Amino acid sequence: MQIEVRRDVFRLAQVFTISRGSRSEAKVLTCAITDGEATGRGECVPYARYDETLDSVQAQIEGLPGDIDREGLYDLLPAGAARNAVDCALWDLEAKRSGKRVWELAGLAAPGPEITAYTLSLDTPEAMRAQAAQHAHRPLLKIKLGTADDMPRLEAVRAGAPNAQIIVDANEGWSAEDYADLAPHLVRLGVALVEQPLPAGQDEALLGMERPVPVCADESCHDRKSLEALRGKYDVVNIKLDKTGGLTEALRLREEALAAGYKVMVGCMVGSSLAMAPAVLVAQGAMITDLDGPLLLAEDRQEPLIYDGAGVHPPRAELWG
């Protein structure tokens, strides 16, 4: 088999800001694996938070042998963006070879659409209220927070979208004291979930802390090996394929997380429909689906995912799987 990797850039519809910085484009790596007759594709988003760069992830992919399979891949690459792109490309290749859909190959039920969150970028309270009002028709909004001045932003979003369900992503930006002070207001404003309020290396403070709103592990949860350290701190785990290292581990993590009593959120980096496509399978029946990457783009892949009032739909075979 021949493994190729290229860099693709997708313009964002508007500047996207979180507590770590801003961006105006999504830079991704596209992996294509060809056996001479069929080609499978996968996409990943290297993430600086995990010491990944486009160069380092591309080198990981290009260093793989041509006879790689999914189980062998698990032994050669750690959980992360490189393994994700290759794993998803291998699933797609198998589907193309067999004429079956990936969910059939994986023994899953046929997927349907899932309501997805729509993310509001971190900004001034006035700007976030305007964003919220513009998207108030959406059933689920996600707010990027993580600063010392988040209460006015939260109040502004609720005022702009009084009927939407709201989840909050602090991106490791709060202290334990910040979270304790904000928690009653999160309840008052009807927030349904809080993602990663404390830095991953400092989340011991969540042990024994009252959690009136479910707390979700994002940066603290990568793959199944993460689960034991989450006990007593979190109620929900956020499964992202760029963290798990692909669909294979994501499905295993979902199964073990549910068995351990956690609820599941399925999230994404800012990428194209090709990156979201396999995640839609993991999101089936999840407490929260957050696969809005393509909605934030000004341009997307050919045969993109369909987003409508029912949510994000499973991919067509022409896109993936």
Side-chain angles (χ1 to χ4, degrees):
M1 294 189 301
Q2 183 177 359
I3 303 175
E4 297 180 348
V5 59
R6 73 168 189 265
R7 302 182 184 197
D8 289 317
V9 179
F10 296 92
R11 291 179 297 108
L12 300 189
Q14 61 186 42
V15 175
F16 185 74
T17 301
I18 66 173
S19 58
R20 297 191 189 100
S22 301
R23 70 181 76 174
S24 59
E25 56 189 16
K27 297 179 180 179
V28 310
L29 291 176
T30 304
C31 175
I33 303 179
T34 304
D35 66 0
E37 296 183 2
T39 299
R41 298 186 304 158
E43 177 184 311
C44 69
V45 182
Y47 198 33
R49 170 65 179 80
Y50 306 133
D51 298 319
E52 294 175 335
T53 65
L54 291 166
D55 289 337
S56 69
V57 172
Q58 183 169 351
Q60 284 181 292
I61 297 172
E62 291 177 340
L64 291 170
D67 60 350
I68 192 68
D69 59 21
R70 287 197 305 275
E71 290 306 317
L73 176 65
Y74 196 90
D75 296 327
L76 289 178
L77 288 180
R83 197 174 79 189
N84 176 33
V86 179
D87 181 76
C88 291
L90 288 169
W91 275 108
D92 188 34
L93 178 62
E94 185 176 347
K96 299 292 193 295
R97 283 171 166 170
S98 66
K100 296 182 178 181
R101 301 307 307 270
V102 164
W103 53 84
E104 297 177 89
L105 298 174
L108 303 173
E114 291 284 334
I115 293 293
T116 181
Y118 181 86
T119 304
L120 303 183
S121 179
L122 181 68
D123 209 322
T124 64
E126 295 75 19
M128 292 186 76
R129 176 170 180 160
Q131 285 185 66
Q134 180 182 353
H135 296 282
H137 64 284
R138 300 184 186 274
L140 178 60
L141 296 178
K142 176 173 170 175
I143 314 172
K144 288 289 188 180
L145 297 177
T147 76
D149 304 310
D150 281 337
M151 255 327 293
R153 293 185 173 96
L154 188 55
E155 297 271 12
V157 169
R158 176 47 83 200
N163 298 319
Q165 187 179 39
I166 290 176
I167 60 176
V168 165
D169 185 1
N171 277 119
E172 304 181 279
W174 293 342
S175 66
E177 293 74 20
D178 291 334
Y179 173 64
D181 289 344
L182 285 169
H185 300 288
L186 299 176
V187 173
R188 173 175 60 84
L189 293 169
V191 172
L193 177 135
V194 179
E195 268 187 86
Q196 199 69 41
L198 310 185
Q202 301 170 28
D203 59 1
E204 293 294 320
L206 291 171
L207 283 169
M209 183 180 288
E210 184 178 357
R211 298 194 296 272
V213 174
V215 177
C216 178
D218 184 0
E219 285 83 355
S220 290
C221 181
H222 289 247
D223 55 12
R224 287 172 293 165
K225 298 174 186 175
S226 305
L227 287 176
E228 183 58 35
L230 305 181
R231 193 179 304 276
K233 305 175 189 175
Y234 296 96
D235 311 291
V236 186
V237 297
N238 189 351
I239 301 175
K240 292 179 179 174
L241 273 66
D242 276 314
K243 294 189 302 175
T244 66
L247 176 63
T248 302
E249 176 65 14
L251 291 172
R252 294 169 178 170
L253 172 58
R254 182 181 70 172
E255 182 178 2
E256 292 199 12
L258 291 171
Y262 297 100
K263 294 187 183 299
V264 165
M265 173 179 180
V266 177
C268 65
M269 307 302 186
V270 181
S272 79
S273 283
L274 180 59
M276 307 301 125
V280 174
L281 307 189
V282 188
Q284 297 299 297
M287 175 188 177
I288 296 287
T289 295
D290 178 24
L291 298 178
D292 64 342
L295 297 177
L296 306 176
L297 302 179
E299 53 194 352
D300 198 358
R301 304 276 182 178
Q302 293 184 342
E303 302 293 340
L305 290 176
I306 293 172
Y307 290 82
D308 61 20
V312 54
H313 288 253
R316 291 179 288 249
E318 292 82 1
L319 174 67
W320 182 87

